[in-house]
Amino acid sequence: MQLSLTTFSFRLPLLATATEAADSSMVLAAVLLSLVVIYLASKVGGELSNRIGLPPVLGELVAGVVVGVSGLHLLVFPEGGATGSGSLIMSFLQTTAGLNPDAVDAVFAAQSEVLTILSELGVIVLLFEIGLESNIKDLMAVGIQAAVVAFVGVVLPFAAGTAGLMALFGIPIVPAIFAGAALTATSIGITSKVLSELGRLNSKEGQIILGAAVIDDVLGIIILAVVASLAKEGTVDSGKVVYLLISATSFLVGSIVLGNVFSNSFVAIAKKLKTRGELVIPAFTFSYMMAYLAAVIQLEAILGSFAAGLVLDETDERVQLQKQVMPIADLLVPIFFVTVGARTDLGVLNPAIPTNREGLVMAIFLIAVAIIGKVATGLSVFGIPQINRLAIGVGMIPRGEVGLVFLGIGSSTGVLSKPLEAAIIMMVILTTFLAPPLLRFVFPEPIETATDTEKLIFDGSGSNSLVIGSSDAKISSPDKRE
């Protein structure tokens, strides 16, 4: 996934050429039908997932698999080897709208390009939204224990996953690094929901888990920016890695420092505007500019949008801004998650086909590393007697929406093979499904009943204590979509 000058010089002319070769009205019709499929799939999948106590984004991913290349072939893409004749939407247009069979491939290519761009905008908006909800003061207040757990939870799975894929399966270094990076993620939304149900949000274990998960998000975004940039080059240069690490960290820290100055100016400008969008339009302008600047220095655009969210979270208008961003995210983010699922060919894990067995073994390996690597983080907790270290490790297991962001970007770069991509998606799904029952097992008896008005808030005192306050029914976390 890229947002740079090379993107505009390559993709938009390609889109224009494809559209010129096809009837623009047919391209529009194909895109509209695709969005109908995406939105229906996302809502059905999200609702079903929510009803069984799992995050809606996981349902959107599975729904994408159902309507995509692994299922109904309603949503397929040429990057996966599909053609216009294999798309049910193209067939529907031929039957109902008189699409010329000779123009099918041109319309299909243009439709796919538009959906890809919308998907990329979706993940940029998603990271902006996550940044808006990842309060800097909260990150500073979680304490040294959470920081240690987060660091171990990133380094251990990353190193084990990358080294294992290269040594055991002969995976090239760049895709191995990408898969290892996907193992570092932790979904705070899933864990916080279960901890709330168990009445453990205010426990020492809950404090450390949630604090570490927040830090994991930030570390994960930096790692993602680095490995995605490496994927563009196709090779690993140690000097390049050091440059990317330093530039990513400096960009994020610098954005936060300068943001203290900018946030006051942003509020002053917004108050002077009197037309519709006086708050959200300047916010997205800033987000897209930060995304562009990140791309210019060879980082991922999403790092810029995440940094923009962190900066604007410090403004007095953050609550109102979050409310205005959510409907936009609701429109664009499902496109990203559903298309990630739609592009995934789970057929490569079919054990009945001998050539697929290595991919299945690879999936088992990634799942094992994903679970063991996070459970082991509990052992890094020190200086707190009688703490449930197993519960801390289990709480770090779910990858959820964060793991899907890694997968989606890896898929869009083309660096992941089909078996490795399918193995990663199986890892994300299984760890997300396993986390809630495992947390209930390691916390067998609820110590209090969580009400519908509980909300997790950091006390901001500089310690890692948390308090429960009265608010809405949602857990305050980096993923409001849950």
Side-chain angles (χ1 to χ4, degrees):
M1 178 175 300
Q2 305 177 46
L3 183 63
S4 63
L5 292 175
T6 55
T7 299
F8 289 112
S9 65
F10 170 72
R11 283 191 172 168
L12 294 186
L14 174 64
L15 179 58
T17 302
T19 307
E20 288 169 5
D23 185 341
S24 60
S25 64
M26 287 296 175
V27 175
L28 176 61
V31 171
L32 292 175
L33 282 176
S34 300
L35 290 176
V36 169
V37 171
I38 288 171
Y39 287 139
L40 285 176
S42 69
K43 289 311 295 178
V44 172
E47 289 294 325
L48 290 176
S49 183
N50 186 62
R51 288 174 186 270
I52 60 176
L54 292 169
V57 290
L58 186 61
E60 292 176 4
L61 171 72
V62 175
V65 173
V66 171
V67 301
V69 67
S70 295
L72 301 176
H73 285 258
L74 285 167
L75 200 64
V76 292
F77 295 88
E79 299 85 13
T83 61
S85 60
S87 168
L88 289 185
I89 287 180
M90 295 298 110
S91 299
F92 185 77
L93 284 175
Q94 290 184 69
T95 303
T96 61
L99 173 61
N100 190 325
D102 295 333
V104 166
D105 287 338
V107 172
F108 176 63
Q111 168 225 27
S112 299
E113 192 68 27
V114 171
L115 292 179
T116 298
I117 292 173
L118 290 175
S119 174
E120 293 180 356
L121 282 175
V123 75
I124 288 174
V125 172
L126 172 62
L127 267 295
F128 179 54
E129 185 182 31
I130 290 175
L132 279 174
E133 313 218 6
S134 300
N135 190 277
I136 299 300
K137 293 183 177 66
D138 293 350
L139 292 177
M140 298 175 64
V142 295
I144 188 63
Q145 292 285 5
V148 171
V149 170
F151 180 78
V152 174
V154 167
V155 172
L156 191 58
F158 177 75
T162 302
L165 286 172
M166 293 173 62
L168 300 177
F169 302 97
I171 302 296
I173 185 169
V174 172
I177 288 176
F178 228 118
L183 293 169
T184 66
T186 297
S187 173
I188 186 174
I190 298 167
T191 297
S192 62
K193 180 178 180 181
V194 179
L195 289 175
S196 174
E197 293 172 351
L198 296 176
R200 299 281 181 169
L201 280 174
N202 203 33
S203 67
K204 291 181 179 179
E205 293 87 354
Q207 296 172 39
I208 294 173
I209 291 169
L210 295 171
V214 172
I215 296 174
D216 257 9
D217 279 350
V218 177
L219 294 177
I221 297 304
I222 293 175
I223 291 173
L224 181 58
V226 173
V227 297
S229 297
L230 291 177
K232 298 171 189 174
E233 303 292 331
T235 58
V236 176
D237 183 325
S238 58
K240 179 79 170 179
V241 172
V242 172
Y243 164 77
L244 290 172
L245 283 172
I246 293 175
S247 59
T249 306
S250 301
F251 180 83
L252 200 56
V253 173
S255 300
I256 293 168
V257 173
L258 294 176
N260 292 328
V261 177
F262 173 80
S263 58
N264 294 328
S265 302
F266 174 82
V267 174
I269 293 171
K271 286 182 177 179
K272 291 182 179 180
L273 301 176
K274 302 302 180 185
T275 55
R276 285 179 57 174
E278 72 278 4
L279 184 62
V280 73
I281 295 299
F284 272 102
T285 301
F286 177 60
S287 173
Y288 292 156
M289 178 56 68
M290 291 289 285
Y292 168 78
L293 291 176
V296 164
I297 60 174
Q298 302 179 45
L299 297 174
E300 276 299 288
I302 57 170
L303 183 66
S305 60
F306 178 73
L310 287 176
V311 168
L312 296 184
D313 179 71
E314 296 298 298
T315 67
D316 295 334
E317 303 291 334
R318 64 185 180 277
V319 175
Q320 187 63 28
L321 181 57
Q322 288 171 6
K323 291 180 180 178
Q324 293 186 22
V325 167
M326 286 177 67
I328 299 172
D330 290 341
L331 282 175
L332 290 174
V333 176
I335 301 175
F336 170 71
F337 286 119
V338 173
T339 54
V340 168
R343 293 174 188 270
T344 303
D345 184 4
L346 295 184
V348 298
L349 297 179
N350 182 0
I353 303 175
T355 54
N356 289 347
R357 289 170 190 167
E358 183 180 19
L360 187 60
V361 174
M362 197 184 303
I364 295 171
F365 167 76
L366 289 181
I367 292 167
V369 171
I371 294 174
I372 296 172
K374 291 294 187 180
V375 170
T377 61
L379 300 177
S380 66
V381 178
F382 61 92
I384 304 179
Q386 298 181 339
I387 195 167
N388 190 337
R389 289 177 170 81
L390 179 60
I392 292 173
V394 169
M396 300 292 288
I397 287 177
R399 269 53 178 190
E401 71 290 337
V402 186
L404 297 182
V405 172
F406 278 84
L407 173 65
I409 293 176
S411 176
S412 68
T413 62
V415 72
L416 301 176
S417 65
K418 284 187 177 181
L420 184 56
E421 185 176 312
I424 293 174
I425 202 169
M426 291 301 294
M427 178 273 294
V428 172
I429 291 173
L430 194 62
T431 56
T432 304
F433 270 100
L434 280 177
L438 285 178
L439 269 174
R440 290 181 174 90
F441 177 76
V442 296
F443 280 134
E445 296 294 333
I447 57 176
E448 61 179 297
T449 301
T451 69
D452 288 337
T453 58
E454 287 181 342
K455 182 179 179 182
L456 172 67
I457 58 173
F458 289 89
D459 67 0
S461 64
S463 67
N464 64 345
S465 60
L466 302 173
V467 294
I468 300 294
S470 178
S471 184
D472 54 42
K474 301 287 185 182
I475 297 297
S476 178
S477 76
D479 187 6
K480 284 290 187 185
R481 304 181 71 241
E482 297 177 9

